[in-house]
Amino acid sequence: MSLAPALAPDLASLRAQIRRLEGQEAPGDVVGFGVPEALRSAFPQGLRAGAAYSVSGSLTLALVLLAEACRQGAWCGIVGLPGLGMEVAARQGLDLDRVLLVPSPGDQWSTVVAALAEIVPVVLAAPVRLPPGEVARLAARLRERGCTLLLTGAPGCWPGAQADLQATPAGWRGLGTGHGCLLSRRIAVEVSHRAGRTSRHHLEVS
């Protein structure tokens, strides 16, 4: 589902529509969500509702995290990624029927993210540079609404991020010596928590 940058539809109406489609509570009432099994030792309680996380080195990793939220019944928003292929997103398990898409928010980035935080529990966005005051206001809105923000930016792209996830290639599965088909690839994920703890994990993706 694609939305205009100004998010013209009335938020209360959209929230009610999502609630009816889900047959349960509004997405904004959902508290956090789990992560793929390979990352559970780093996030035993899942990703925290209302917190921000940077994901660098692999858009696929960010999509896998988003897809995990969808599998748990959540709707999600994607902001500022006009080149994202929906076929690629679906291949990572993302339920496109639960996606609100704003490919090019222009100078309304923070307004769009704040509006989406009112109606969905998780937003994936390409970060932009914001004044400190605007960052603080948006962070407060995320905490208030319990919306998790995933940012496709390098560590430090969001002040106060709960953790930074950096992905690097770690090989392929299915390719033999001069023969075979590529079935999946492995990525190494280094997780650096705000508290200082760092861990390394391996994740297989399609």
Side-chain angles (χ1 to χ4, degrees):
M1 181 184 300
S2 181
L3 297 179
L7 291 179
D10 176 76
L11 292 179
S13 173
L14 186 55
R15 189 183 299 119
Q17 179 185 357
I18 292 175
R19 184 186 295 112
R20 287 195 300 272
L21 290 172
E22 289 190 332
Q24 57 184 18
E25 70 273 12
D29 297 331
V30 177
V31 179
F33 60 91
V35 296
E37 184 175 354
L39 297 176
R40 285 178 191 164
S41 60
F43 303 103
Q45 305 301 319
L47 299 186
R48 180 178 299 179
Y53 298 83
S54 73
V55 184
S56 61
S58 171
L59 180 58
T60 296
L61 174 59
L63 293 173
V64 166
L65 294 172
L66 207 60
E68 191 69 24
C70 283
R71 275 192 285 270
Q72 294 167 42
W75 282 60
C76 65
I78 299 179
V79 179
L81 292 168
L84 175 63
M86 290 296 101
E87 183 178 344
V88 173
R91 193 161 61 241
Q92 300 309 324
L94 193 63
D95 183 351
L96 301 184
D97 289 334
R98 290 176 174 269
V99 176
L100 303 180
L101 183 63
V102 186
S104 302
D107 60 1
Q108 298 297 308
W109 187 92
S110 58
T111 301
V112 169
V113 173
L116 285 172
E118 293 283 339
I119 53 177
V120 299
V122 56
V123 173
L124 170 65
V128 299
R129 187 179 298 276
L130 297 175
E134 198 166 346
V135 171
R137 285 191 294 272
L138 183 53
R141 174 64 61 86
L142 294 170
R143 289 192 298 270
E144 177 188 350
R145 300 306 302 170
C147 178
T148 302
L149 179 61
L150 302 176
L151 296 148
T152 60
C157 68
W158 187 262
Q162 191 70 26
D164 298 312
L165 293 81
Q166 292 181 275
T168 54
W172 295 85
R173 184 174 70 85
L175 187 63
T177 305
H179 64 86
C181 297
L182 296 176
L183 301 176
S184 63
R185 59 192 175 95
R186 284 167 57 83
I187 55 176
V189 182
E190 185 173 279
V191 180
S192 302
H193 292 269
R194 186 172 60 182
R197 181 168 58 92
T198 299
S199 56
R200 192 171 176 85
H201 314 266
H202 285 86
L203 187 67
E204 193 166 289
V205 298
S206 59

